[in-house]
Amino acid sequence: RLATLFNASESPFPQYFAYNNMYQGGKIGLLNVDKISDAELIVVADGQNMQIWVSVLRVTDTRFIISTLVNFNTQKGRLYMRCLRPIHQFLTKFSIKQALKSKRL
């Protein structure tokens, strides 16, 4: 709901995709695959209010490091992130656990 209020989401969720179907320059919903290798996946979401980069780095076959970088284009983007920041870590962990539980990861 918060994303809709700030026009940050244009795509219905959840987005399902097969790893084998991903390629550099391809899309996963609103995300563009910037780099894909055996060691790392980098996706970019380019929006009106902000640009979001997400990296998934494989440490071992069962351990990954996920990092994000956000570049704000507008004050609206900054305000949206300020509202989301207190619950961002909870939402991220919850999303990963749900994906594992439903065997999407």
Side-chain angles (χ1 to χ4, degrees):
R1 289 182 183 169
L2 183 61
T4 304
L5 179 67
F6 286 92
N7 297 324
S9 179
E10 303 168 6
S11 175
F13 285 92
Q15 289 288 325
Y16 298 99
F17 58 92
Y19 182 80
N20 293 336
N21 293 336
M22 288 192 293
Y23 56 92
Q24 191 165 335
K27 291 186 74 69
I28 306 167
L30 297 175
L31 303 172
N32 296 308
V33 177
D34 185 61
K35 176 186 173 188
I36 186 166
S37 70
D38 290 338
E40 185 176 29
L41 168 68
I42 300 176
V43 293
V44 181
D46 223 352
Q48 177 182 351
N49 297 310
M50 63 185 118
Q51 185 179 46
I52 303 168
W53 297 73
V54 180
S55 166
V56 181
L57 181 68
R58 181 191 309 259
V59 179
T60 67
D61 284 344
T62 58
R63 296 191 71 132
F64 299 87
I65 297 173
I66 300 172
S67 57
T68 58
L69 171 69
V70 179
N71 292 323
F72 300 106
N73 299 334
T74 65
Q75 283 299 109
K76 196 174 186 180
R78 289 182 194 281
L79 180 61
Y80 170 74
M81 191 55 73
R82 214 173 269 141
C83 293
L84 188 65
R85 182 175 284 148
I87 59 171
H88 186 265
Q89 188 175 15
F90 168 77
L91 289 174
T92 303
K93 287 180 181 179
F94 178 79
S95 297
I96 292 170
K97 286 177 183 177
Q98 289 299 98
L100 288 168
K101 186 177 178 181
S102 63
K103 300 192 188 305
R104 288 184 285 132
L105 286 179

